Amino acid sequence: MAGCVMVFLFTGSFKANSVFVDDVIFMYHTNYMLTGTAFVTQPAIAFMVAGIGGSWLEGVSYRCMGVVGGALFGAGFVYQGLFGYQLHQLFIAMIIAAFGGGLLHFAMFMSYIEHFRDKFAIAFATRELFTYLGVSIMPPFVELLNSNYGLRGAYLSLGALAWNCIACGALLKPVTGTSRKSSGKPMATQDKLRIIVENCCCARGTSDPDGIDTPGCWSIFDCSPVTEHVQFAVFMLVHSLFYYTFTAWAIFLVPFGTSTGLLPSEAVYLSTAGGIGGFLGKIFAIFVFYLGWMNMTIAGVVPSCLICTSLFGYIFSSNYVPMLMSSCLCGFAVAFADSALNGLIPRYVCSYHLRQGSAISYFFGGVFMQLGGTLSGAILDWTGSYVWVFGSMSLANVAIGIFSILLSAMDKDIPECGDSRGRKDGVSS
């Protein structure tokens, strides 16, 4: 439950920032590029911190990490509410919240692995459902706060709400009395994979259950996973472009609605419709994985086509109901792709490079998240039209479709580095 509350508040608060875009531009006399950059800093830096956090904080308990992360997460919003008089203070607030969110994500993820073990996949998938519940509920709630208390009052209230994550961190208890390696029982394949994933953020190299030495991932600039596995390089590009799409869509959806003449209280429900679609997309991804049907055509080509369809819906129709339907479709596709691609990471990189490859993938995912806010904001400043913003997102998704088809054509068993065996995974081609 602690993990569900955390992702609900973190993703919901990021999506709720879209409510503040026009107010921030007016209050600070700034532009869309800087505003988008500031708001996207929250998930982008959090992804980078979560991806390599274990390298910095090895030995720190998950409970301590969660409590500190929850405190910083709320403190960022409270700082903006108390001292947010200039644009640079908004950047400071988002960076503080981002570091807190990154620590929370890392602590929660690792705690889930230790506590749920064989049921980790089900528990993690259930937690992810709450991500898009936050996207549905938080923006209308924050719009209500903004209309009653103003920008700074809304951030103070949001910070107080975010401090509930301190309690979430305090609930992370260490597992006692059990050890996977000392139990004396043979490990299932999924347990072996889970231990490798668990070591994904360790600073020093370890050995997997079969005795294969695996490299540490201290340096995200070590490109050996990419140079050894060309498929992984293509996969990482697809994954990162989806993150670009998500952040650009999340930040500028509500301002787009107000630009078409909708009231802020109406435009915010475009986000709610996207969250409902995202919730359904997460459920559908679980269903596809359960049936063993997941591959890059389904995970990459289909969502990119659905996203392009929804973006064209925004461009060619300014009526409220079609816009709600487009938001629901886009949310479904983005959420489905997120779950699908995260689940396919082990297919395109060997066990030897899995930890290192995961760190690189999440780091560059954060970079592309940042680009989603900065580049889309710059396009909006230069052109003054959301048509060009959605057009650039459509081009990104055309590229996703092409690279996904290419990756499907390259799909084959990944040879184990440092081992002569080829890995046979359970995901269908």
Side-chain angles (χ1 to χ4, degrees):
M1 182 55 70
C4 296
V5 172
M6 185 274 292
V7 296
F8 177 92
L9 290 174
F10 183 82
T11 310
S13 64
F14 163 62
K15 190 67 181 75
N17 281 329
S18 62
V19 170
F20 301 128
V21 169
D22 291 332
D23 290 337
V24 166
I25 291 173
F26 175 78
M27 180 179 293
Y28 300 139
H29 306 288
T30 185
N31 55 38
Y32 285 103
M33 183 181 75
L34 291 176
T35 303
T37 300
F39 284 144
V40 175
T41 295
Q42 179 188 335
I45 293 182
F47 247 59
M48 298 177 197
V49 171
I52 59 177
S55 300
W56 308 337
L57 297 168
E58 185 179 11
V60 178
S61 72
Y62 300 144
R63 174 179 285 175
C64 177
M65 205 181 301
V67 169
V68 172
L72 289 174
F73 178 45
F77 298 128
V78 171
Y79 174 87
Q80 173 61 19
L82 293 175
F83 307 108
Y85 294 102
Q86 297 180 13
L87 182 62
H88 74 273
Q89 292 166 324
L90 177 63
F91 274 92
I92 293 172
M94 292 298 107
I95 290 171
I96 294 171
F99 269 93
L103 292 176
L104 272 170
H105 272 284
F106 178 76
M108 289 288 179
F109 180 76
M110 301 310 296
S111 182
Y112 265 52
I113 290 174
E114 289 193 357
H115 280 81
F116 292 102
R117 300 189 181 183
D118 292 338
K119 297 181 179 179
F120 167 75
I122 296 174
F124 188 76
T126 302
R127 189 199 78 158
E128 285 295 287
L129 293 177
F130 283 78
T131 299
Y132 279 84
L133 284 179
V135 171
S136 297
I137 296 172
M138 288 294 288
F141 175 69
V142 171
E143 170 59 28
L144 180 64
L145 294 175
N146 191 32
S147 62
N148 286 306
Y149 304 113
L151 178 66
R152 294 176 59 199
Y155 268 117
L156 280 173
S157 302
L158 190 58
L161 188 62
W163 266 334
N164 283 286
C165 288
I166 297 175
C168 296
L171 290 173
L172 301 181
K173 297 188 296 183
V175 177
T176 57
T178 57
S179 172
R180 293 189 193 94
K181 292 191 176 182
S182 62
S183 63
K185 296 180 180 180
M187 291 187 181
T189 301
Q190 62 184 19
D191 292 323
K192 297 177 183 180
L193 178 58
R194 191 180 301 112
I195 289 178
I196 297 170
V197 175
E198 179 178 2
N199 288 328
C200 177
C201 297
C202 291
R204 59 176 183 269
T206 58
S207 296
D208 77 2
D210 290 322
I212 304 171
D213 290 329
T214 54
C217 61
W218 242 102
S219 175
I220 58 170
F221 300 107
D222 184 346
C223 297
S224 56
V226 175
T227 56
E228 295 290 338
H229 308 290
V230 178
Q231 298 99 318
F232 181 67
V234 180
F235 175 85
M236 194 170 66
L237 181 58
V238 170
H239 204 186
S240 298
L241 285 171
F242 266 119
Y243 283 128
Y244 170 90
T245 299
F246 169 72
T247 50
W249 171 74
I251 286 296
F252 293 110
L253 180 59
V254 174
F256 163 70
T258 57
S259 73
T260 63
L262 296 177
L263 296 174
S265 58
E266 296 173 329
V268 74
Y269 286 104
L270 296 177
S271 178
T272 299
I276 293 171
F279 183 83
L280 297 175
K282 292 287 186 181
I283 294 175
F284 188 63
I286 295 171
F287 177 72
V288 174
F289 270 117
Y290 177 77
L291 294 177
W293 293 347
M294 193 64 76
N295 54 47
M296 276 308 300
T297 301
I298 295 174
V301 178
V302 173
S304 64
C305 291
L306 293 177
I307 291 171
C308 285
T309 301
S310 67
L311 294 175
F312 288 142
Y314 290 136
I315 293 172
F316 294 112
S317 177
S318 59
N319 293 326
Y320 191 39
V321 173
M323 289 168 63
L324 287 172
M325 294 174 63
S326 293
S327 297
C328 187
L329 180 61
C330 192
F332 176 90
V334 169
F336 176 81
D338 179 44
S339 291
L341 293 174
N342 280 318
L344 288 177
I345 287 177
R347 182 176 182 80
Y348 294 103
V349 63
C350 69
S351 299
Y352 181 79
H353 285 117
L354 180 59
R355 328 188 263 131
Q356 208 169 5
S358 297
I360 295 172
S361 180
Y362 279 105
F363 180 84
F364 281 99
V367 171
F368 273 73
M369 279 185 170
Q370 193 68 63
L371 284 175
T374 303
L375 185 58
S376 296
I379 291 172
L380 187 55
D381 287 328
W382 294 334
T383 65
S385 172
Y386 283 95
V387 171
W388 289 98
V389 174
F390 293 139
S392 67
M393 293 166 61
S394 298
L395 288 177
N397 279 273
V398 169
I400 287 172
I402 293 172
F403 286 124
S404 296
I405 293 172
L406 175 63
L407 196 54
S408 296
M410 299 167 62
D411 202 2
K412 60 182 180 180
D413 290 334
I414 301 296
E416 285 287 1
C417 299
D419 192 320
S420 61
R421 296 168 303 167
R423 176 166 55 84
K424 303 288 186 179
D425 55 57
V427 183
S428 67
S429 299

